[in-house]
Amino acid sequence: MNSSEARNRYRDAVRTLVGLIPAGRVLAYGDIAELLGFGGPRQVGRVMSHFGDGLPWWRVTRADGRPAEGHDERALVQYRIEETPLRYTRGSRERYRCFMACGNIPGALAAFGTGLGADR
C-alpha cells in the first residue's frame, strides 16, 4: 500500500469512528487514535479539520474535554441538545468542559477499533 492509500484509509477510518460516537458522548482526539491503533491526536485533528464535514465534530474533544479551538459556542449548542454531561469552571457558566469519564466509551467502540487503522 502506498502512502496515499494509507492516508486515505486512515482518513476513512477516523471518519467512520467519529460517525459511530453516540449522541451525548465524546471521545478525545487521542482516544480515537488509540482505538484505531495508529496515528495520534494531531493526525486525527488534521483529518477532522480537512475532512470532517457532515460529521458530529463536537463529539471529538481535546483530552481535557474542551472542544476544538474557536468552536466553543457552536459545540455548546450541540452538547445541550444531546444532553452531554458537562463540567463548568467554578463561578462561570460560559467556561465548560465535557465530562470525560462519561465520554470514554472504548467498550462500546472497541469492536470497531480493530481493523479500522491503516496497515502499519
Side-chain angles (χ1 to χ4, degrees):
M1 174 182 313
N2 66 39
S3 62
S4 178
E5 291 170 335
R7 279 192 304 272
N8 289 341
R9 186 168 177 190
Y10 189 74
R11 177 200 64 215
D12 293 345
V14 168
R15 288 183 50 83
T16 297
L17 191 52
V18 169
L20 293 171
I21 302 170
R25 300 290 185 108
V26 296
L27 286 176
Y29 294 99
D31 293 334
I32 291 170
E34 186 175 330
L35 286 167
L36 294 176
F38 189 77
R42 290 180 187 257
Q43 288 80 14
V44 173
R46 181 169 172 76
V47 170
M48 292 300 296
S49 70
H50 292 282
F51 305 103
D53 293 343
L55 292 175
W57 55 268
W58 58 92
R59 295 180 192 155
V60 182
T61 68
R62 299 175 192 171
D64 67 1
R66 291 180 297 147
E69 187 76 33
H71 295 286
D72 296 40
E73 290 179 26
R74 290 178 45 216
L76 185 56
V77 169
Q78 296 299 324
Y79 297 146
R80 287 180 173 157
I81 290 169
E82 295 182 357
E83 299 180 357
T84 305
L86 302 174
R87 295 180 299 138
Y88 289 91
T89 301
R90 185 178 301 171
S92 174
R93 294 291 290 173
E94 286 107 37
R95 297 190 49 146
Y96 68 91
R97 295 177 181 188
C98 293
F99 186 61
M100 295 304 288
C102 180
N104 293 327
I105 52 173
L109 297 175
F112 299 101
T114 58
L116 287 177
D119 290 337
R120 293 178 222 164

